[in-house]
Amino acid sequence: MRDLQPSLNQTQRVRLQSALRQLHSLPSSSSSSPLSSVAVADPIQVNHDDNILKGHGTLDCDGEVVATLCGVVERVNKLVYVRALRARYKPEVGDIIVGRVIEIAPKRWRLEINFSQVAVLMLSSMNLPDGIQRRRTAVDELNMRSIFEENDVICAEVRGFQHDGSLHLQARSQKYGKLERGQLLTVPAYLVKRRKQHFHHLEQYGVDLIIGCNGFIWVGEHVEAGENVGMLVEDQKKTSTAEEESWSFTPLETRKHICRIANAVRLLSALGFTLTVEAIVDTAEASLASNIEINDMLGAEFFVQTAEREVQRRASMVRKKG
Amino acid sequence: MRAMGMDRLDGRNANQMRPLTCSRNLLHRAHGSARWSQGDTIVLAAVYGPKAGTRKGDDPEKASIEVIWKPKTGQIGKQEKEYEMILKRTLQSICLLTSHPNTTTSVIVQVVGDDGSLLPCAINASCAALVDAGIPLKHLAVAICCGLSETGSVILDPTKVEEQKMQAFMHLVFPNSPLAVLPEGSSSKHDEPFEHGIITSVTHGAMPERGYFNCLDRGRAASAAISEFLRRSLQKDGS
Amino acid sequence: MATTPMTYSPSQGAERRQKQQQMRRMSQELDWKRSDGRSFHQCRPACLQTGATNAASGSAYAEFGATKVIVSVFGPRESKKAMMYSDIGRLNCNVSFTTFATPIRGQGSDNKEYSAMLHKALEGAVILESFPKTTVDVFALVLESGGGDLPVIISCASLALADAGIMMYDLVSSVSVSCFGKNIVIDPTAEEEACQDGSLMIACMPARNEVTQLTLTGQWSTAKTNEAMELCMDACSKLASIMRSCLKKSANLSS
Amino acid sequence: MVGLSEGEKHFIRGGIAQDLRSDGRKRLQFRSISVETGVIPQANGSARVRLGATDVIASIKAELGKPSILRPDKGKVSIFVDCSPTAAPMFEGRGGEELSNDLSVALQRCLLGGTSGAGAGIDLSSLIIVDGKVCWDLYIDGLVISSDGNLLDALAAAIKVALSNTGIPKVSVLGASSDEQPDVDVSDEEFLQFDTSGVPVIVTLTKVGRHYIVDATSEEESQMSSAISVSVNRRGQICGLTKRGGAGLDPSVVLDMISVANSVSQQLITVLDSEIAAAEASEE
Amino acid sequence: MATSARGGGEGEAAAGGGGGGGAAAEMEVEAYRRLFPVAYFERHLRESVRLDARPLASPRDTSVALGLVGSADGSALVKFGDTTMVAAIKLEVMTPPAESSDEGSVAVEFYMPPICSPTVRPGRSAEVAPVISKQLSDVIMSSGMINLKDLCLINGKASWIAYLDIYCLNADGSLFDAALVSTVAAFTHLEIPLVSVSDDGRVVTVPGELEGKTKLPLVNKDKRKLMLNNVPFSLTCGLHKEHILVDPTAEEESIIETFVTVVLDTLGRVVSVYKPGGSVLAYTSILKECITLAKRRAQQLRNILNESVSAMEVDKSS
Amino acid sequence: MEYVNPLTGFRIDGRRPNELRQIKGELGVVANADGSALFEMGNTRVIVAVYGPREVQNKSQQNNNQALVRCEYSMANFSTGDRTRRQKGDRRSTEISLVIRQTMEASILTHLMPRSQIDIFVQVLQADGGTRSACINAATLALADAGIPMRDIVTSCTAGYLCSTPLLDLNYVEDSAGGPDVTVGILSKMDKVTLLQMDAKLPMDIFENVMQLAIEGCKAIANYIREVLLENTKQLESRRGG
């Protein structure tokens, strides 16, 4: 998300520079060291006698292994590959993703998930509202739009590639489904690390935070899994007068939290820091602590502060290690 | 202009046409093609199709014909658009449109040389090209240009220079084959033979009524000769 | 032929310029006579008539002073361009001028700006839900441009829509004013527009007291804006009643 | 353009109703605005303005021309806007044309004043060199590099900044012959600065539900029922107004919006002034 | 084609606008008319009556109104039944080409704006429009209706070019005939402005009030009206089977395939016999018949035109 | 006119014959594009935005074995010295679009992204000679920024021949001098030429020199571009942290 470039004053610029320099100098905890970064067409050192496997982002150019991407060289015993940074999402089976419905086709929804193609969610690989397992009838097919319609934001799991090369999703669980009453943020996929847990219910705020592996992040009002909000908003569509609508609005307190979390995400992604639930909550808390207005979180000062805080955090981690 | 019967600038007499040539199947891409020349007026016609589908607005029950007119130089203007329209309507009237419903046949007309009587030349060329492409026709059509002088005398197949001198000139198209089945519409109530009917008439310049009908008769007479030539050249290539 | 090299209209230039400067000077004074003898707050007589062209599903002809406009409405008919799923219809507007509409012979091409403005003025009034997945085409032709063209086009178009039986929340009537120094002059003529200090145009649905389109150019104090808007709103509702009676008349004739 | 689910729409509407927008702004709060001048050295004046992810460039070019017969004592100004496909794939080919036209028209209406030239942001008579013979033609070009809503305001701001950064070459008339075109000498070291104090800014109020907001993002714009763009100059006079969106507005609401726009505009002008100063400082 | 293009989406609209009658029987007739246009049409012909209840040989009622476009130098509105044409002439000054230094010229353009028919969409014009433009200018020229020398102002220096623009406001058949009448009418109404030459050599108009006062030499004091000699009028006949139908409507044009357009001038000369193809062959007898019909029509049109002229003069005087 | 000073051997803008103009590359200048870059060669300044790889918009163009690469080149009205309001899609821009597309396609590993589409949108802000080269260089940066796999770094540069001297990287004045100018695009590592354009006559031997000069230019640019990319990668990685 590069839409956030606060205009820094002189001192702030200097502070930011130094902070970033320190980050640069800190030995990164992960296996990769900045030295192993490559640009397109850079050679990758391998000793050919132990027959290595050339993985993603590499290419054999007359006997020499070269990178086809800008990224970091990773070696897993025999496998050598380039881990891309800024790029579209690379799906892996079992990934939790957040996506947006762009089209309703026969027996399937087609979703934008920041991949090189749209992903497919079959009606059959989706729990019906009534939650009963049964064969899908023609009626179900006609009512697909009542489950998800165009532009709906939904959360699902990567099921895998089909023989025809298309990417399929599944949502056979209560925790998957339509997301409402919140906002969707998009960040570069490389800032999201695959983890055990991608759904986070932040009790203290009553906020749901879903960090999709594809870089789509959902921040919204908390809903109990399986409790069907779908209908709730369906009603709103019908509600005529603004008054009636306003009853169902997210309560201001929760909204404040949602926006704070959201801005934390915006900020971190603008700084290019990894988006873990901890980092996000920290940032939000920090802003509260040094009581900063929600909107000012995107301002220059807090921008720099966050950078500096990150330095300390990592420094301390290194100390723990060593 | 001297009295009729006298020689014309190029030594022809009033009733004489310029030498006709017709060659077919010159283009290999096209399904049918023909080159028709009357003196220095030369037209090359190519036929593509029938291809599936008709343009929006045309009747899908019938085959539709589209004509594209390529002038010798420059881009197409109103004159060319008019030629296209006349040509299209004329060819539609001789084709069996019902035999290939919902198809489009395109006729591309390339003007190679223009020394008067251009439209008739183009019509003859396209007609030959249609035959060459094996498009089913009700009957052939032959076109001729007649000029009417101030004195009322009629000359055939005028050159460009002559066209300008004329009080009026007209392009006429006649059906050629008495063997053809009578299409509906030309019912026998008329005491004239089928090939006397006019398919197309386009006139330029004001003239007395009498003059017009003179031209009709003379043109009709001459058309027999042309259709004879046309049939011969078609048979020749056919065998 | 149409593009014959270097032709010019003799009535161009100097003489018209003088007229304008004259007009300009006059308009600077507090009190001056309008060329057609109207008072500042008096509109031109409006002549409206529906069913001008029977080829269309609905049409109307409007004549305000020298300004003559004809509008036909086609449809609802299948949309030309395929749209993605939507349960509402499309409103498509096109405004064009005749070559002889303006004092200096024009190209007679269609006017993108006016087309867009017309669309904006009408879309709020037409019930798009009433013809899902189809298109209603509103085509306007300005036969003669005598000032206040756009307002006339808008009013005429909504009349044509009504004539075509397209569902609307209300008729849209539109009026514009020019300002000269201190004065506000309603429903200006072409030469008045040519030297106005500013203009304000309102298109509204009088019965609902809603402004569907509003444009303003030149320099206006807030107070003056209020005055001008009131003036327009008032004139709009008057115009709307004329339009209503016109529709009633045609309805009676047909039955 | 932006597809939003019912849930998101509802969330946005709610935020506006509760005066807490998705990015934490209040209704009448602008995004942080950043200004850069002289981005197009080849032009007489230029500026780049960023509002969040909205990013536009304005350039001013002055060329010698002939005044129109009807206005011999004034120069000519024309405004064109282009939407670069870099901003969004939908602007590819002719895709951006409609929007570009709308923006151009709106800007012309808001900056060029009435037909008599009254209330124009730029004093046209300052562009005249020889009455009826030679004048400056000012070409104002806007280019949308990246778009996230509120393009009109951003463009107007960019133009205002660009104008303040514009230098018009000094011109001396040589052949002062009455009838035919006089020949002039365009100096290439001496430049005249513009008086840009009168150039208005545009404030667009986007109405969502019962309330209206300034500087809407494209997501918020997708929720608009209607919007009013008012151009206001330093003296708080209205110099132009356009309405977008179909929904009708009660006249009283319109007047209310105008007065709000008026007050907001004064803040915007001060912000711009400081930004201009800063930008020029950094340029030197 | 007009009718065929209706139907479909417009069905309900037509039904709604069905004169409010809405009787079931009427609906059935409407449906039959849409589904089997030819049969419906020929059923009528057998009774030798036409879809609009006209006898075969009688044209629609025709009206001519002069001078309704103020911004033009000459203009006219012509109606053939529902077919409506507006023709307007604007005079501009040009330097005549060397080869015809003492002549002016006429530029004819025929427009079919989208309002005139459901088949025309904005952007691309109907393909018949340029053809009709061509036919019109051909007829105007070959009839010698206008003596181009009358359009000369100053030999070799300046002459008039008459921009004749004809707009079809409602296309319901026989467009060429209507367009031609509107052309003639517009020229009859044409008033050449009084002009003089300014010192920079440009030709400028002298406003009425200034006449006499101005010191500049008046160029065309005596040439203010255009003399029209042998005016052409036309009639289009549709040939269907053995029937001849004059002045066909759009609906008829969509069914009939063969048309003959005859143009005659005041001297009874044939200016044009125009038959572009068509399945029905035109025998001499048929052509003769068409010409006779055309003569009758020409006379009729001449009278209508004269009435309109006198009508206009009446308004003027009153 | 003298484009090279016979005494000093310097060019009008004070460069040596074999000297490039000041070049500058910057990544991520367009907010919502997948990849974007700004590239400057002297006063020539272009922005490129890359969208995709994404779902093919027009199904009929979809290719099941490789990605569909599209390119649109547009010039800002103010980009040229004398302001001209040009229509989109005129012959020149269509031609350049095609050149850029083909040159980039030569390097993109399209077979890795079947059934997808990559859009390269080129926006010229200032044209002062060598626009196509600048566009190609910018496109390379933008594609890399979008993380689109490429065989190699594609760079381009022009060279001309004026006053019997081969000149590297012509600016507008030199370009419009009417002399021959050679535009070369190379795959820097593989040392292959992917683009070679010249519209003029040149003796073979001189042509070789000029072309060689251009290639040298390309290589210099390639090194610079590589640095920009590597620096950016390191930044991203170190910021991202463990």
Side-chain angles (χ1 to χ4, degrees), chain B residues 31-180:
Chain B
H31 298 101
S33 59
R35 181 179 181 282
W36 183 282
S37 77
Q38 302 174 206
D40 296 339
T41 304
I42 306 160
V43 173
L44 186 62
V47 174
Y48 294 85
K51 353 185 219 333
T54 57
R55 257 177 56 251
K56 197 166 160 298
D58 295 4
D59 176 5
E61 305 280 299
K62 293 183 172 174
S64 97
I65 294 185
E66 69 172 354
V67 176
I68 297 162
W69 184 285
K70 303 265 184 203
K72 191 174 178 197
T73 55
Q75 69 277 66
I76 70 166
K78 287 178 192 155
Q79 175 67 78
E80 287 70 22
K81 285 243 173 285
E82 187 188 19
Y83 283 158
E84 283 179 354
M85 196 273 282
I86 297 170
L87 206 49
K88 176 180 174 180
R89 300 277 207 85
T90 307
L91 296 179
Q92 271 174 342
S93 66
I94 65 168
C95 291
L96 277 166
L97 298 172
T98 45
S99 60
H100 299 302
N102 194 19
T103 63
T104 305
T105 304
S106 17
V107 179
I108 291 93
V109 173
Q110 173 64 59
V111 178
V112 181
D114 175 9
D115 183 23
S117 318
L118 181 58
L119 184 58
C121 191
I123 292 171
N124 293 333
S126 346
C127 187
L130 283 172
V131 173
D132 189 44
I135 306 293
L137 304 177
K138 290 186 206 148
H139 50 79
L140 291 171
V142 289
I144 184 166
C145 179
C146 305
L148 183 69
S149 75
E150 305 291 344
T151 60
S153 60
V154 180
I155 62 167
L156 294 179
D157 186 21
T159 63
K160 224 188 181 79
V161 186
E162 287 172 324
E163 277 182 0
Q164 269 130 28
K165 283 224 212 77
M166 289 293 136
Q167 169 190 28
F169 64 93
M170 64 204 66
H171 308 309
L172 302 170
V173 184
F174 301 93
N176 85 322
S177 146
L179 325 165

Side-chain angles (χ1 to χ4, degrees), chain A residues 2 41-42 86 118 274 314, chain F residues 28 34 55 226 238-240:
Chain A
R2 302 166 170 199
D42 281 0
R86 277 186 53 81
V118 297
T274 316
R314 290 196 201 165
Chain F
D34 286 288
E55 183 77 4
R226 180 180 173 282
S238 66
R239 283 182 177 214
R240 174 174 166 280

Side-chain angles (χ1 to χ4, degrees), chain F residues 7-158:
Chain F
L7 306 170
T8 59
F10 284 117
R11 290 150 74 173
I12 298 168
D13 56 5
R15 279 187 290 158
R16 292 188 178 68
N18 60 354
E19 187 179 347
L20 278 171
R21 288 176 287 180
Q22 184 65 263
I23 58 174
K24 173 163 174 266
E26 186 184 331
L27 292 177
V29 291
V30 177
N32 18 27
D34 286 288
S36 59
L38 169 84
F39 197 83
E40 295 179 18
M41 300 173 81
N43 273 333
T44 298
R45 185 176 293 187
V46 304
I47 287 185
V48 170
V50 170
Y51 286 84
R54 57 196 188 116
E55 183 77 4
V56 177
Q57 303 304 304
N58 175 354
K59 283 274 163 288
S60 64
Q61 299 173 316
Q62 177 164 319
N63 182 332
N64 287 335
N65 312 323
Q66 59 178 32
L68 164 74
V69 180
R70 298 165 75 248
C71 175
E72 181 172 312
Y73 167 98
S74 36
M75 283 183 108
N77 292 324
F78 48 76
S79 59
T80 48
D82 55 336
R83 183 198 175 286
T84 44
R85 180 147 176 79
R86 56 174 57 70
Q87 271 308 319
K88 269 203 159 180
D90 59 353
R91 279 161 179 241
R92 183 169 174 281
S93 46
T94 332
E95 186 256 337
I96 298 186
S97 306
L98 186 68
V99 168
I100 299 172
R101 202 197 83 220
Q102 291 169 334
T103 315
M104 299 325 292
E105 248 177 344
S107 168
I108 300 171
L109 299 168
T110 51
H111 63 278
L112 295 180
M113 298 156 285
R115 269 182 255 83
S116 71
Q117 150 177 350
I118 299 171
D119 291 281
I120 305 172
F121 294 123
V122 181
Q123 179 69 57
V124 176
L125 297 183
Q126 266 195 131
D128 184 26
T131 35
R132 11 185 125 213
S133 298
C135 293
I136 289 170
N137 299 331
T140 306
L141 282 171
L143 285 165
D145 183 42
I148 290 170
M150 289 188 285
R151 245 178 220 88
D152 198 343
I153 290 181
V154 190
T155 57
S156 167
C157 189
T158 64

